[in-house]
Amino acid sequence: MKQGSSNRKVNEQAREVIASILLFEISDPRLELVTITGCEVSYDRSVCNVFYTTEPERYDDVAAAFQRGAGRIRSLMARKLSWRVAPELRFLLDTSVDQAERIASALAADAHRSAVAAPTDSDVPADADAFAAERAEEQAEDRSHDGEGA
């Protein structure tokens, strides 16, 4: 969805107000350590999708707390904003943080594997000619051993 500057301002204003309400006015312990990552307010301001993130083991508890406290958060939001309508709040889990962590850990594991599997300077001669000569000697030795057994 294309967003204009006024729509971005409305979304940011909603995010700031909801984050402030969670921080200072809601006493539910299940909503501690919850981060509001963004909001999408509809054009007519009747609906607000609120995206949040928290630890993976707390997803169910936080979702239940938001479902239970949505009305209170909505009424506190209506008092703080000068909008004509208090939007219906829909709380949606933002999994992008979890995906970013999975990608970062996969990249770190791949970098570690690459570092372990990479040849060291002592394994490869510094000079390409020396490497080719060494390889030719090894092949000559292999041929001579093959001829002795026959």
Side-chain angles (χ1 to χ4, degrees), residues 97-116:
V97 175
D98 297 332
Q99 292 170 349
E101 285 180 15
R102 272 196 301 272
I103 291 169
S105 64
L107 289 173
D110 186 48
H112 177 70
R113 262 194 313 269
S114 297
V116 170

Side-chain angles (χ1 to χ4, degrees), residues 9 15 22 30-31 43 47 65 73 98 120 127 135 146:
K9 288 177 186 176
R15 189 195 66 77
L22 289 179
R30 298 177 295 178
L31 294 177
Y43 180 72
V47 177
I73 296 169
D98 297 332
T120 61
D127 187 14
R135 181 77 178 135
D146 289 342

Side-chain angles (χ1 to χ4, degrees), residues 76-134:
L76 290 170
M77 184 178 175
R79 285 188 210 149
K80 291 187 175 207
L81 295 173
S82 59
W83 296 353
R84 185 175 53 83
V85 177
E88 172 194 343
L89 300 177
R90 297 178 186 163
F91 293 96
L92 306 168
L93 180 63
D94 185 0
T95 58
S96 64
V97 175
D98 297 332
Q99 292 170 349
E101 285 180 15
R102 272 196 301 272
I103 291 169
S105 64
L107 289 173
D110 186 48
H112 177 70
R113 262 194 313 269
S114 297
V116 170
T120 61
D121 291 338
S122 62
D123 294 342
V124 179
D127 187 14
D129 293 332
F131 179 73
E134 201 174 291

